[in-house]
Amino acid sequence: MTLNIRTVLRPAAALLVVLFFWATTVWAQQATSPDYTSWETIATRAEAMVDAERASDERLETLRAQVATWREQFQAAQDVNASRIQTLEAQIKALGPEPEDGTETAEIKDQRNLLSTQLADQRAPVLRAEAAYSRANAIVGEIDRIIRERQADALLEFGPSPLNPIHWPGALQNLKTTFVSLWQEIVANVGSRSARSAALQNAPAVLLYLIIGVMLITRGSIWARTAVEKLRSGTRRGTGVFRFLVSLGQILLPYLGIVALLQALNATGFAVDEWNVLLGKLPFWAALMFGIRWLADQAFNNDDEVAALPLPADERPKARRLANALSFLYVLEDFVSTLIAFDGYPTETATVVQFPVLLLSGLLLVRLGRLRNDAPIVGSAAALEEAAGDFRLRFAKLLGRIIQVVGVAGPIMAAIGYFKVGEALVYPAIATLALVGLVMVLQRFINNLYEMVTGRHPDHTNSLLPVLAGFILALVALPVLALIWGAREADLTEIWARAQEGISLGDTRISPTSIIVVIAVFAAGYMLTRLMQGALRTSVLPKTKMDQGAQNAIVSGIGYVGIFLAVVISVTAGGLDLSSLAIVAGALSVGIGFGLQNIVSNFVSGIILLIERPIGEGDWIEVGGTHGIVKDISVRSTRIETFDRFDVIIPNADLVTGTVSNYTRGNSLGRIIIEVGVAYGSDTRKVERILLNIARQHDMVLMNPAPAVDFMGFGADSLDFRIRAILRDVGAGLGVKTEMRHQIVERFTEEGIEIPFAQRDLWLRNPDVLADAVESKWTAASAEREKSQSGSTPRKSTATLGDERVGDEDEG
C-alpha cells in the first residue's frame, strides 16, 4: 500500500486554513469588542495615579503602555459595523427628507423609523469606543506631561560646581574606596582554596579561551585589514561590496576575542559582585569602541574609493585618532556612571569625578570640528553659487561648526553647576557624529551595491535609486537621532499612533496605512499594465494585420485605461471614499480648468489622434509649413523629425484643429513635379519626347499611372514644360528630382537644346541730346566750384543731369 503525499497534505492544508480563519475571527472579535469592565478598572486607577503625581517614572511608563494598548483597541473598535452603517445611511438617504407638513405615508414612515433604530443600534458600539478612546487619549497625554515636566526639572537642576575645591577630597576618598573594594574582591577570590581548586580544574579551558581571545584581539583586526587590501587590489565589479563586508571583521574578530576572555574569566570563578556588573557591560563597551574604530577607518580612509568623507589627506589620520579618543571617553563616561550608580556616590562626588571626562570630550569635539575643510557651508551664498562640489564635505563643515559650539558650551554649563545640561549637550553630540558617519558609510555601501548590480556608476545622471536609498536611510536614522537627544520610546510610538489615527477629509480618514496600501496597489496595477503593454507590443499585435500606427494606438490606450483603473482600485483599496471627495474635486476642477486649459486641450487632442489615427509614427506630414517624419505621439504633444535632423514638438491641439498635410498616410506613393524651360525656336515635340523618356527610365517612377509631360505655355523668356511622375516612395522625391535634372541637362546638351536665362536690352532714344546736356551741366558746376574757391562763402551747388540731380558742397 503506497502512501500518496497529496492525500495527506490536502486535509492538513484544509485544517490549517480553517484554523487560520478561526484565529482571524477570534482576533477580530477581540479587537472589535473590548472588555469595558476591565478598562474601567484600569482607567480609574490610572486617573488616580495621575492626579496624585507621586508614582515613579518607571511606574508611569508601565501604566502608559497599558493605556496605549487599550487605546489601540478602542481605535480599532471605531470601525465596527462601518459597512452596515454606510448601507443604512444610504437607505435612509434614498427615502429622501421627511416632509415638514406631515404628509409622509405610514409605510415610508415606519420604514424610516425602523432604519433609524437599526442605525442607532449599529452606531452604539462605535460611540462607546469613541468615548473610551478619548478617555484613554487624555490619560496618555497627562502621563506624558508629568514625565516631561520631571525630565525638564531634572535637566535644569542647579547643582554643585565641579570646580569647587571643597568637593575634591571627598571625591578622591570615594574613588579610593571603590578601587580598594574592587581589589579586595580579587584578593579574596584568589585566596580562596575552593576558587583556586575550581580554577585549576578548568585550567585547560581557561588557557584555550585565553589564547583564542588574545589572538583575536591582537591579530583579528590585522587579518581583516589584510583581506581588505587583497580585495582592494582587484578590479572586477563588486569589489567595493566585498571589501565592505570583509572589513566588518575588524569589529567581529576583536569582539569575539573579548567574549573569549570573558569565558576564560568565568571559567576561573574569581569575579563576583561589583566585578560582575562591570564585566557584564564589557561586551557593549568593546563593541562600541571596535565599531567606532571601524567607522572612523571607513569614513576617513586614505583611499578615496573607500572614504565616505574625503577630507584632505593630511587631515584623515588626525580625524581617525580623534574619533577613537572620543569613543574611549564615551565608554569611560559609562564606566564612571556605572561605578557611581553601584556605590551610590553623592552628587558632589559624581560631579567632580565626571567633569574631567566631560571636559576632555568637549575639547576633542572642538578639535574634530576644526579639521580643515575648504567646502562652503550648506545653505550659504558660496554653496548656492558653487553648483559642483561634494555635499558631504559641505555638510561636514556645517556639522563641525555646530560641534565646536557644543564642545565649548557643554563644559561651561557643567562648570557653572548645570551639569545635566552639559552632559545632554556633549555626549549626544558624540553619538550624533557616530550616527552621521554610519549613514554616510552605508550610503557608500549602497552606491557600491548599485554599481555591482547595474554596472553603472552611482554618480550617473540616471542613477535615481541610490539617491532614493540614501533618502530612505536618512529617514530611518531620524528616530534614532531623536532617541539620542533625549526622546522617549513612548514619544516615537505616540507619533506613530497619531499618524495611524490619520486626518479626516470629509467622511474619509487618511492614515499612513491607507497611503501605503494605495501606493502598493497602484504599483502592482502599474506593473501589470506595463506587462500587458509589453505582451501586446511584442507578441500579439505584430501577428495581426494592423499597421504600426494602429498598434501604437492600442498599446497607448491600454496604458491609459490601465493606469486609470489602477488609480481607482488603489484609492478604493485604501479605504478612501471617492464620493466624499467629489465636492473637493469639483471645486478644484474649476481652478484647474482655467489654469490647465491648454494642457487639457492637448491631452484630449492626443486621445483623438490615437483613436482616429489621422497620422501615425513614420508618416511624412506638414504642419504650419514645417515638414518632417512623425517619431512619437504622446498625450500632450507630437514629436516630428525634420529633414534637417532636428526635432519639432507640436502640441496635439494644433494637429486636431489646424491643417495637416500627410504625404504618406496609408502608403508611401507620391507625385513629384519638375518644371523646365527651353529657348524659343526649339522643337517642342522633341523636347516632350526627351522629358518623357527621362521620366519613364527612372527606377522609382511608376508606370501605372504613367508619367506625363505638359507643355505649360509661352513664358517671357522660354517655352515652359512640366514633368509629372508618381514615385514608389515619395520620401525619395528630392533625390529623384536631382537625378532627373542632371539627365535633362545632359540630354539637352547632346540634342543642342538651349535652356535660356532671362536677358534684357537697353535702348536710348536720343543719345546725342543727352550727351550735350551732360556736358553743359558739368561745365556750369565747375564754374561754380572755382568761384567758391576764390573766397566766396561756401554754398551748395546743384546741376540737373537728365532725370538725376548732381551736387557737391565745398568745405572751404
Side-chain angles (χ1 to χ4, degrees), residues 521-533:
V521 174
F522 175 77
Y526 181 80
M527 288 188 294
L528 183 62
T529 301
R530 292 305 184 196
L531 288 175
M532 185 178 298
Q533 285 182 298

Side-chain angles (χ1 to χ4, degrees), residues 456-615:
R456 292 187 297 176
H457 196 272
D459 295 336
H460 193 269
T461 55
N462 295 327
S463 301
L464 180 61
L465 289 179
V467 177
L468 293 179
F471 179 72
I472 295 173
L473 194 63
L475 290 181
V476 173
L478 287 179
V480 182
L481 184 64
L483 293 175
I484 288 174
W485 286 96
R488 299 153 43 224
E489 294 182 7
D491 295 332
L492 301 181
T493 56
E494 184 66 16
I495 293 174
W496 176 250
R498 295 296 183 184
Q500 285 288 99
E501 187 177 347
I503 59 175
S504 297
L505 186 60
D507 295 333
T508 302
R509 183 174 296 275
I510 301 176
S511 64
T513 304
S514 61
I515 294 175
I516 292 174
V517 171
V518 168
I519 294 175
V521 174
F522 175 77
Y526 181 80
M527 288 188 294
L528 183 62
T529 301
R530 292 305 184 196
L531 288 175
M532 185 178 298
Q533 285 182 298
L536 289 174
R537 184 183 292 109
T538 58
S539 301
V540 179
L541 295 178
K543 298 179 181 179
T544 63
K545 296 181 179 180
M546 290 185 292
D547 59 4
Q548 187 63 37
Q551 295 180 18
N552 293 334
I554 292 176
V555 172
S556 300
I558 292 294
Y560 299 142
V561 173
I563 292 177
F564 175 76
L565 292 178
V567 171
V568 174
I569 295 174
S570 62
V571 172
T572 305
L576 304 180
D577 187 6
L578 296 179
S579 60
S580 63
L581 302 178
I583 299 177
V584 179
L588 292 177
S589 62
V590 176
I592 293 175
F594 287 105
L596 304 179
Q597 201 171 25
N598 293 333
I599 296 178
V600 174
S601 175
N602 291 326
F603 178 83
V604 175
S605 300
I607 300 297
I608 294 174
L609 289 177
L610 293 175
I611 294 175
E612 295 185 353
R613 295 187 291 110
I615 62 175

Side-chain angles (χ1 to χ4, degrees), residues 419-443:
F419 197 84
K420 295 295 183 181
V421 175
E423 288 184 324
L425 288 174
V426 173
Y427 297 118
I430 298 174
T432 301
L433 292 178
L435 179 63
V436 171
L438 180 61
V439 170
M440 289 185 176
V441 169
L442 292 180
Q443 176 66 43

Side-chain angles (χ1 to χ4, degrees), residues 145-158 418 420-421:
R145 179 188 61 80
I146 294 173
I147 294 177
R148 290 194 194 97
E149 290 178 354
R150 291 179 179 180
Q151 288 178 340
D153 294 339
L155 181 65
L156 299 177
E157 181 182 0
F158 184 77
Y418 293 100
K420 295 295 183 181
V421 175

